[in-house]
Amino acid sequence: MGNEAIIMLFLTGLVLVGGGIGAAMVLGPKRWNKVKEEPYECGIETTGPSWLQFRVGYYLFAILFLIFDVETVFIVPVATSIKELGVAAFIEVVIFFVILGLGLLYAWKKGALKWE
Amino acid sequence: MNAIYDFSILTGGIHEWLSGLMSPTAVMITEMVIIGTLLIVFVALMGLVLVLAERKVAAFFQLRLGPNRVGPWGSLQTLADFLKLLTKELITTKSADKFLYNLAPFIVMLTPFLALGVIPFAPGLQIMDMNIGVFFITAVSSMGVLGILIGGWASNNKYSLIGGMRSAAMVVSYELSVTLAIMTMVIMTESLSLSEIVASQSDGWWIIKGHIPALIAFLLYLTASTAETNRGPFDLAEAESELTAGFHTEYGGIKFAFFFLSEFVNMLVVASIATILFFGGWMPFHLPFEWAVGFNHIMDFIPGIVWGFGKVTFVIFLMMWFRWTFPRLRIDQILNLEWKYLLPMNLVNFLLMALIALSGFYL
């Protein structure tokens, strides 16, 4: 099939999950109970809100990921054609990687990769 | 390769037969329905088999028997589990974000479905032959973490939130290594189309032809993709001993089943890509030597589908082996491993592979 199959795959996933949840709605029992609605927290009552401020470490890694992910997009065309492009392209990739490596080293030395 | 094992003869025959009966649009819709139904059956079957396999493998690693009550050798255990989950009540907690909470299982299941569409399992057994297949899979599989993050956040539960955030930090980090390891192999294959990558290995698999960089890339890929699918020893997102069930603490019944199923289908996708890039997909084992012609002919008699699924099973077994052998890592250890070891190794390995490709020092 051609690329229109993406639509088919998308719909197939929707049908499977939707069908499963729909079937469970029909087949499963419906016995409402006030305690059932409580979020789980070790069996005791929930204290305070759960959507709290979060440690900055996770966001730092997300930003670092963004930088390197863009880099991998640049790698794709180079990787597919480096055999034809030859040595000049290889030297360019080396320079590119050295700059990236320095960036990673900078983040490393600044303590962005530290988790305390 | 023997032409008789080519599935495109069968699918082409069905296509022509349908074309004789209806208009092109109707043919397309009918084919979509047929393929969609087969895909659902395939995914459901793989889920049942892989969950049972996981439990049996775990049992044997721990010197237990594993499931052995329902059906012969416990073979119907997962089917019974599935039926039980299907008849459970669906509960949404009162403080949860209702829309996002219900959206998460959809996103989690959609990503492996989209990825399965471009994978060639056997000659001709591929839903769509995309010319940017590798890139498509990388793009789609990075969507999976969204489902986990949304599910973890929308549950409005502290365990879920911590699990979701950990998973997000971990999966995005390891995605870099997965992509770079794949790109290292793309230097050799010179194509992003999965079927062309398979075809380029008719005289030998890349793990043999690509020398040491291919071997390093395989190890890096296997490690990083184990982390990307949230499997042990990197299963921090659902670390039972500290987070109850992590991001799916609040999910019950069939919704939990979909999170569980997606993990196993993701594992299938990841193992299939490893198979295609390093072990030649459905290509038989060929030695790239003059004297091995007879041996290569014998290997040709084993159907492609057996080779394909055999190798996928092997890689999945490796991943299960990891899970039940290594202890779980801490979040800082996991991120250190990626950013301080795997990523620099990947960058160097990429250059090494480029050097080998340019010097022509490969078979």
Side-chain angles (χ1 to χ4, degrees):
Chain A
M1 282 186 100
N3 288 351
E4 73 271 7
I6 293 177
I7 304 163
M8 187 273 294
L9 293 168
F10 194 79
L11 289 177
T12 312
L14 285 185
V15 166
L16 176 69
V17 182
I21 290 175
M25 274 176 173
V26 175
L27 293 170
K30 282 165 228 41
R31 285 189 288 272
W32 186 83
N33 186 328
K34 193 170 178 293
V35 189
K36 273 185 190 170
E37 286 197 320
E38 295 286 331
Y40 172 81
E41 197 170 306
C42 292
I44 54 165
E45 278 175 36
T46 317
T47 48
S50 297
W51 290 327
L52 303 160
Q53 280 193 326
F54 229 75
R55 67 173 297 149
V56 73
Y58 293 101
Y59 302 99
L60 270 177
F61 280 101
I63 291 168
L64 272 178
F65 158 74
L66 211 61
I67 298 164
F68 276 87
D69 205 36
V70 173
E71 163 249 347
T72 47
V73 173
F74 283 123
I75 291 296
V76 175
V78 177
T80 43
S81 53
I82 202 161
K83 275 188 195 167
E84 290 124 62
L85 293 175
V87 182
F90 177 71
I91 291 166
E92 280 169 14
V93 172
V94 170
I95 294 169
F96 183 56
F97 273 18
V98 165
I99 295 171
L100 266 171
L102 285 177
L104 183 64
L105 212 63
Y106 177 75
W108 195 334
K109 284 282 166 272
K110 275 282 175 188
L113 304 182
K114 228 186 255 168
W115 194 272
E116 312 179 308
Chain B
M1 198 68 223
N2 284 356
I4 195 153
Y5 300 134
D6 197 340
F7 277 85
S8 57
I9 298 169
L10 181 71
T11 50
I14 292 172
H15 179 77
E16 265 168 39
W17 176 63
L18 283 173
S19 301
L21 293 175
M22 319 175 239
S23 65
T25 322
V27 169
M28 199 177 84
I29 291 168
T30 320
E31 282 177 354
M32 278 184 174
V33 171
I34 294 171
I35 294 172
T37 317
L38 287 178
L39 193 62
I40 286 180
V41 171
F42 172 71
V43 165
L45 212 63
M46 280 321 268
L48 293 180
V49 171
L50 285 176
V51 173
L52 182 73
E54 165 100 57
R55 294 179 63 177
K56 276 289 184 188
V57 167
F60 289 138
F61 273 108
Q62 298 169 345
L63 293 178
R64 302 184 275 119
L65 283 173
N68 65 347
R69 284 284 177 268
V70 192
W73 211 60
S75 55
L76 298 175
Q77 178 67 51
T78 41
L79 190 66
D81 286 346
F82 168 72
L83 289 176
K84 185 203 74 178
L85 286 170
L86 197 63
T87 51
K88 286 274 177 184
E89 185 178 5
L90 292 176
I91 306 167
T92 311
T93 53
K94 64 167 186 268
S95 51
D97 186 321
K98 301 272 184 315
F99 174 70
L100 290 178
Y101 177 83
N102 289 310
L103 183 71
F106 283 93
I107 296 179
V108 161
M109 266 323 279
L110 274 176
T111 48
F113 260 102
L114 287 170
L116 276 179
V118 292
I119 291 171
F121 285 104
L125 198 66
Q126 184 184 19
I127 293 173
M128 55 176 169
D129 188 5
M130 237 187 192
N131 52 4
I132 52 160
V134 173
F135 195 67
F136 179 75
I137 284 192
T138 328
V140 161
S141 61
S142 62
M143 239 166 65
V145 66
L146 271 182
I148 292 173
L149 195 56
I150 289 175
W153 186 82
S155 300
N156 202 351
N157 179 317
K158 293 180 186 86
Y159 298 120
S160 304
L161 185 65
I162 295 172
M165 287 301 261
R166 275 185 183 180
S167 172
M170 193 176 85
V171 172
V172 295
S173 300
Y174 278 85
E175 210 186 288
L176 294 172
S177 280
V178 170
T179 319
L180 273 171
I182 290 175
M183 284 310 142
T184 311
M185 295 316 291
V186 167
I187 292 179
M188 278 290 157
T189 61
E190 288 185 283
S191 169
L192 292 174
S193 158
L194 288 166
S195 56
E196 275 177 34
I197 290 175
V198 172
S200 72
Q201 303 177 70
S202 57
D203 57 339
W205 304 344
W206 279 121
I207 198 156
I208 298 166
K209 289 198 291 178
H211 292 293
I212 293 162
L215 203 64
I216 299 174
F218 175 64
L219 294 177
L220 290 172
Y221 177 82
L222 203 61
T223 316
S225 59
T226 309
E228 213 198 358
T229 46
N230 275 316
R231 284 186 59 80
F234 307 104
D235 56 347
L236 269 184
E238 44 185 309
E240 301 95 332
S241 50
E242 36 184 315
L243 292 179
T244 317
F247 63 96
H248 57 59
T249 305
E250 292 294 348
Y251 286 91
I254 197 76
K255 289 182 194 164
F256 160 74
F258 283 125
F259 277 108
F260 203 60
L261 180 62
S262 81
E263 181 186 323
F264 284 89
V265 184
N266 269 325
M267 200 159 83
L268 178 72
V269 170
V270 160
S272 306
I273 299 166
T275 304
I276 288 162
L277 284 172
F278 301 99
F279 300 112
W282 44 262
M283 278 294 173
F285 180 69
H286 279 179
L287 290 170
F289 303 112
E290 289 279 323
W291 48 266
V293 178
F295 176 77
N296 292 350
H297 276 304
I298 295 168
M299 287 292 141
D300 278 341
F301 276 103
I302 302 171
I305 193 161
V306 174
W307 279 109
F309 278 100
K311 286 180 235 175
V312 168
T313 313
F314 170 70
V315 177
I316 288 177
F317 175 72
L318 275 184
M319 293 172 80
M320 288 177 178
W321 193 347
F322 286 170
R323 175 164 183 179
W324 299 106
T325 308
F326 296 120
R328 183 181 291 133
L329 298 170
R330 274 201 326 263
I331 180 77
D332 60 324
Q333 291 170 332
I334 284 182
L335 292 173
N336 266 350
L337 175 68
E338 161 63 16
W339 289 96
K340 296 184 181 168
Y341 297 94
L342 293 191
L343 188 62
M345 272 166 79
N346 247 321
L347 294 176
V348 173
N349 192 38
F350 184 88
L351 293 178
L352 204 63
M353 190 60 130
L355 209 62
I356 281 185
L358 285 175
S359 62
F361 185 59
Y362 58 96
L363 295 166

